Amino acid sequence: MEIAHGRPGASGASLTWHLTATEWEQSPDLVALLEAVQTSIDATTGPRPA
């Protein structure tokens, strides 16, 4: 799993985690959080007003 912030072409930061299937299964709150973040990102991407 990799989490990055910043716009494409701009500097930003990223974190990379290597989780096993067991760790994912034991982390339902993390999965729910990441799904909520992705939903938010999907809802706000697209053209921005100038």
Side-chain angles (χ1 to χ4, degrees):
M1 165 181 52
E2 182 176 355
I3 297 176
H5 78 80
R7 296 190 182 274
S11 60
S14 67
L15 298 169
T16 303
W17 289 302
H18 301 279
L19 302 175
T20 65
T22 301
E23 290 169 322
W24 272 113
E25 291 170 2
Q26 294 174 348
S27 305
D29 294 336
L30 176 60
V31 173
L33 172 64
L34 295 175
E35 288 173 349
V37 169
Q38 186 63 58
T39 298
S40 178
I41 291 168
D42 292 344
T44 59
T45 57
R48 301 274 189 234

